[in-house]
Amino acid sequence: GVIGPGDSSTSHALVRDNASMDVYEALMANLDAEGRHYVLNAIANQLRFPNNHTQYFSRVMLSLFANAKGVFVKEQVTRVLLERLIVHKPHPWGILVTAIELIRNPKYEFAQQPFTTCAPEIVELLDSLTRSCMMRPNAAVTEARATLSAGNNDVHRNDGVKVHNAQVVQGPGRNNTRQL
């Protein structure tokens, strides 16, 4: 069947094998570079706080990277994520989780991509990002990630308070979670 952002069962297999993913893959194959950039930015705009919607679009972005026929789509996915990570914090939770998954998971072979070594500035940026991604994640982020994977939008803060439809926000002077 057709699934979308509201479905609670957005595993990689379901995202990969459905009609909406076929549309995204067709757009990536048939649009020019500018059109692909617009579509990938629209997807990245959906990578916000921990919920099923964010999980769905994170899986879409990762699937587009994994199933790309050429290096151009992979490079554009990386560019869209990096453009959002090089700005000042706080970064949207979904962008962080998607970028970390892309870098950490050997299935995506991110470090072996030719665009990751094309310029010294890119190598330095990716090394810095990789180092920060390899650090032990904040407990609130880990907990929110586990909650999201379970298909539940509720997050328990460090003080034991349950927050429904929470957004994880990191940065100086901010709590780890904020109710919407």
Side-chain angles (χ1 to χ4, degrees):
V2 176
I3 65 168
D7 294 340
S8 62
S9 57
T10 54
S11 72
H12 280 293
L14 288 177
V15 171
R16 188 176 52 247
D17 301 326
N18 71 68
S20 62
M21 197 61 212
D22 292 342
V23 171
Y24 291 120
E25 288 176 350
L27 288 170
M28 293 297 110
N30 296 317
L31 290 174
D32 64 353
E34 183 179 5
R36 285 193 304 267
H37 188 73
Y38 286 134
V39 171
L40 291 171
N41 267 304
I43 294 169
N45 286 340
Q46 308 309 309
L47 302 176
R48 299 175 296 211
F49 47 88
N51 61 21
N52 290 335
H53 184 84
T54 297
Q55 183 183 26
Y56 173 79
F57 283 103
S58 177
R59 301 282 191 241
V60 167
M61 188 75 86
L62 293 169
S63 291
L64 288 173
F65 185 92
N67 299 330
K69 303 292 185 232
V71 72
F72 300 114
V73 172
K74 292 180 180 191
E75 185 174 356
Q76 283 188 299
V77 167
T78 303
R79 176 184 173 190
V80 166
L81 292 173
L82 286 180
E83 284 173 346
R84 291 159 188 263
L85 289 172
I86 60 175
V87 297
H88 294 290
K89 293 181 179 179
H91 300 111
W93 182 87
I95 294 288
L96 286 170
V97 169
T98 305
I100 289 169
E101 178 71 13
L102 186 63
I103 291 169
R104 279 187 176 177
N105 193 332
K107 152 182 157 175
Y108 300 112
E109 298 178 339
F110 183 77
Q112 288 78 36
Q113 300 302 320
F115 56 83
T116 61
T117 57
C118 64
E121 298 85 9
I122 300 293
V123 172
E124 185 178 323
L125 175 65
L126 291 174
D127 283 347
S128 172
L129 183 61
T130 301
R131 279 193 306 276
S132 67
C133 290
M134 297 305 172
M135 293 170 54
R136 186 170 166 5
N138 179 308
V141 174
T142 304
E143 184 176 343
R145 193 179 206 183
T147 302
L148 178 59
S149 295
N152 184 351
N153 293 342
D154 297 337
V155 174
H156 294 270
R157 294 190 327 209
N158 293 338
D159 60 1
V161 175
K162 183 177 180 181
V163 179
H164 182 68
N165 290 328
Q167 175 181 9
V168 175
V169 179
Q170 294 180 330
R174 296 186 182 248
N175 293 331
N176 286 335
T177 57
R178 178 174 65 195
Q179 186 171 1
L180 295 176

